[in-house]
Amino acid sequence: MTAPPAPPADPIRLHKQLDAVWRTPAGLGQLAAVNHSVIGRRFIVTALVFFAVGGILAMLIRAQLATPRSAFLGPDIYNQIFTMHGTVMMFLFAIPLFEGLAMYLLPKMLGARDMAFPRLSAYGYWCYLFGGSILLLALFFGVAPDGGWFMYTPLSSRTYTPGINADVWLIGVTFVEISALSAAVEIIVTVLKLRAPGMSLDKMPLFAWYMLVTAFMMLVGFPPLILGSVLLEVERAFNLPFFDPARGGDPLLWQHLFWLFGHPEVYIIFLPAAGVVSTVLPVLARREIIGYLWIVVSIVALAFLSFGLWVHHMFTVGIPHLALAFFSAASTAVAVPTAVQIFAWIGTLLAGRPQLKLPMLFLLGFFFVFVAGGLTGVMLAVVPFNWQVHDTHFVVAHLHYVLVGGFIFPMLAAAYYWLPHFTGRSPRHSLGTGAFWLIFIGFNLTFLVMHWTGLMGMPRRVYTYSPDTGWEWLNLISSIGGFLMAMGFALFAVDLFLQWRFGRRAERNPWSAGTLEWATPMPPPAYNFASLPPVTARAPLADARDLGTELARGRGYLGFVRHGWLETLGVEITSGRVEQVVRLPRPTYLPLISALLTGVFFVSVLFKLYALAVLGFVAAVGSLLLWSVTSGDRRDRGPLPIGCGEVAPPHSEAPDAPSRWAMVLVLVADATAFASLAFGLLFLWVVAPNWPPPQLIEPGLTKSALVIVALAIAAWSGGRALAPGFLEAPSRRDLQMIIAAAAQTTALGGLIAILMIVPDPTRHAYTAATFAILIYAAMHAGLGVIFALFGLWRSRNGYVSAVRSLDLRIAVLWHKATLGIGVASLLLIHSLPWAMGQ
Amino acid sequence: MKALSQRPAGPVFLALGFLIWASAFSMLYAALSIGCELGWNSITWGIFDLLRLILFMLWAGHMTLLAWLYRVCRKRLDTSGEENSSAARFLGRASLGATMAAVASTFWIGLAIPLSSTCG
């Protein structure tokens, strides 16, 4: 252990030293950016551009529907426009916007210098940009998706959508969802591990709690959608009949997989916005939020309950009454934790001394609109009412009240609240009040009226209507309201530009807030804090107003630069006790290259160039492995001084390093995808027509036993490499990894042999699903070979020692998961024929 | 090794109650679907049928599990003294609250079992 580098006495010199190592290079170097502030801003700006696109599409919809028998848009174009409006707003605007906000804010609120995996943030951003661009280009060339943002089969199947339109949706959205999953892993690990010393879970800002729970929801919510998209694309491209009832498939399987994602998605969008409300409202009410503990409980309850509602989108498809009752009960129950939060916010307003500043105006708009949307949500949860208004404009009105009320209004409040932080500027003359009233009045004019249009029977997704329906003047009012709202958003955009370009220099912490993001300079430097703060309270700035100045002087943790490293601290999850020094990567082009290669894979699949797709996939995996070359350490360093008289080991020597958590979380998402696939097979067996299938899989128990034994050996030998007596002896350690690689190769061979005896997968959904499950297991074994060989390479190149075993521990997690998935797959495919024979 | 009820609360306990709720919800829906497919609802004894009995037992089993979890959370909270950190006490209280919410949610969902037709 060496003494810590002495912090410079001069804060300016400390800033220069830190800035030199943390700053993103200018010019083309910007493409190598991995810093969370840069990536967060890019997410936000790109999402706002997509919002403008989605808004223009909405205007086209309202122009078309303003009058009956309108010839403004034909049905083909209209179908593309309403499909793209929903797709853009849900996948390219809402989710990326809060991801960007979280990436920008979380490290600052938590007292860290960056997110846990900066390169993953950058990779996610590029995937989002490229995937979103595929969708927009398709719109430009007139081949955009046109089957609704939910892509229901059989409309989106090859028979009824023979062109490329549906493929664009399936490929583009799946590409974008890589960024959502990577953001989920990134956010969870950052919140759990990268906090300021002393920031225990009970002292964590509520925004971090909201984002933590949201990220977990994304982790288990997105895999069913990704799986469904893959299955539908495989059906369209290779004729495997997962959704074709004539061959044992079922269109309802798509609806289940889609809404398993789609309903939690509403709460995935709402919760970050609620986190904004819980952060901004107490500051403007000038008192601590009421019911911190019960808000945390409500978020957890809401997250779980939101996964029990998906069938309320399918109440009319012919599901048994008791199942309807289960989902109806869950749909009504979810209102309770939402109401707990609403009452906590109202209580805080009542007990505080609220100031009617601009962000508060938008929060009041949120209360009005979101509560109204919540109430119609309870109405829709009641089955008989739902049957009456299903697929009418009543539902369109409800979902816009929930999503615009529950997301856009809080995000507008967030924009005005945090804009000084982003730009370092405060407004001279704000146009925000005018923007608020235009948006608020325009919104209610558009969508309040739409409830009546729906109750009068106007269906969704129709491009025109006849003049004798009685819907004419209601639609005209909705369209006028829509254009009014658009003017409000345009005014908001102008206001942001004026504030950014011509605003006064903002004072530090202009709202007198208590959270740590206001302790950074404004706009913040790349490293956020010159030294990291010790935290003893939920609102650190409330107790120490000059904390920012003290930190800038280096009077906290890590107030120095060591070996030119980018360092932040990792803590124990519950207590916030310092556990490790986390070394972060420098700017690199690798995330961009990996995203481009991933793009090669997706675009090749889109254009059915499968040989190129395989090359793209292999190259993308290879480029991802290259990331590891600059990670880790080739020598043991022991505990490092971190300032304030304390020491901590580097993360490569810590038992609970962030990357281990990342692998655990990836495996959670992986298990969810597998469970969705298994659910698909069982669902088809139970519900789909034309079962039992004409031909079942041969038993092949010897091959299956061989696969399971091989996978068990891989898991065992991978673990043995970490055991005392092996870990410190390189040759014995390496031998175990060679055994693991050989075992995984054997398992892969066995699974391929079983795949060969599966009857033709295009004949029936049973064989198609069995085939898909075996492919899933085989891919795990294939990646298991890579993990074992990668561990061997790391071991032989000095990255592994008795105290640096992170790479091997991560590999063991994969081997164990592969064993679990292999056993579950083989049990499922062998037990189902037996069950069908009973 | 300390008994479960004497250890300081970990973050996992915050989700445990609702994980049991999720298990109850999934199993009830799966059992209903499989039972309808296999005709368990047509095996009857008076006003009872096999499917409803299985659903009731699944529900009651999960309610029992939740009752046990509630007791564990309660005990942990009662025994958590000054030696536990503020974070552990916070997690103890939050876990108890989340478990109570999970009990209420599971009870609410199960109410439909005796009241609604099963496979109709």
Side-chain angles (χ1 to χ4, degrees), chain A residues 600-601 603-615:
Chain A
V600 169
F601 167 73
V603 173
S604 306
V605 172
L606 181 62
F607 291 107
K608 317 278 185 260
L609 305 169
Y610 296 113
L612 186 60
V614 171
L615 282 178

Side-chain angles (χ1 to χ4, degrees), chain A residues 202 256 304 308 320-322 329 686, chain B residues 25 29 33 37 86 108 117-118 120:
Chain A
D202 59 318
H256 276 290
F304 276 95
H321 284 170
L322 188 51
V686 172
Chain B
F25 195 82
Y29 184 42
S33 306
E37 167 68 14
S86 66
W108 174 239
S117 59
T118 47

Side-chain angles (χ1 to χ4, degrees), chain A residues 444-457:
Chain A
N444 284 293
L445 214 53
T446 312
F447 293 105
L448 187 64
V449 173
M450 212 179 272
H451 290 99
W452 280 284
T453 328
L455 287 172
M456 290 172 75

Side-chain angles (χ1 to χ4, degrees), chain A residues 606-836:
Chain A
L606 181 62
F607 291 107
K608 317 278 185 260
L609 305 169
Y610 296 113
L612 186 60
V614 171
L615 282 178
F617 180 79
V618 171
V621 171
S623 75
L624 289 169
L625 286 173
L626 277 180
W627 293 19
S628 66
V629 173
T630 53
S631 301
D633 218 328
R634 292 193 196 215
R635 69 182 177 92
D636 297 341
R637 294 187 184 272
L640 301 167
I642 57 172
C644 302
E646 294 182 38
V647 294
H651 76 268
S652 53
E653 296 173 23
D656 206 18
S659 40
R660 186 184 153 275
W661 273 97
M663 177 50 92
V664 171
L665 296 169
V666 166
L667 292 177
V668 170
D670 180 33
T672 312
F674 178 76
S676 306
L677 188 53
F679 163 79
L681 177 57
L682 294 174
F683 174 84
L684 292 175
W685 165 48
V686 172
V687 174
N690 292 317
W691 280 63
Q695 200 179 355
L696 297 174
I697 185 173
E698 296 291 322
L701 290 177
T702 316
K703 293 189 191 86
S704 298
L706 174 76
V707 169
I708 290 172
V709 169
L711 291 176
I713 289 173
W716 178 78
S717 59
R720 200 156 168 77
L722 291 162
F726 287 84
L727 185 58
E728 55 274 17
S731 57
R732 299 183 77 191
R733 182 174 76 205
D734 294 353
L735 178 65
Q736 294 305 314
M737 281 176 280
I738 292 168
I739 293 172
Q744 289 284 18
T745 310
T746 309
L748 178 61
L751 285 163
I752 291 171
I754 299 171
L755 270 166
M756 306 295 272
I757 57 167
V758 174
D760 180 5
T762 62
R763 282 191 66 195
H764 195 272
Y766 159 73
T767 42
T770 304
F771 192 78
I773 286 172
L774 286 168
I775 289 275
Y776 199 84
M779 278 180 61
H780 278 70
L783 285 171
V785 177
I786 293 176
F787 269 105
L789 294 177
F790 174 73
L792 184 64
W793 178 81
R794 297 283 280 182
S795 171
R796 299 197 107 135
N797 283 281
Y799 291 101
V800 178
S801 75
V803 290
R804 285 176 288 116
S805 57
L806 187 56
D807 295 311
L808 306 194
R809 282 185 283 135
I810 287 172
V812 170
L813 287 172
W814 185 265
H815 295 320
K816 286 180 178 170
T818 304
L819 173 63
I821 282 181
V823 171
S825 302
L826 293 169
L827 266 178
L828 189 61
I829 65 163
H830 289 305
S831 60
L832 196 59
W834 172 81
M836 280 191 281

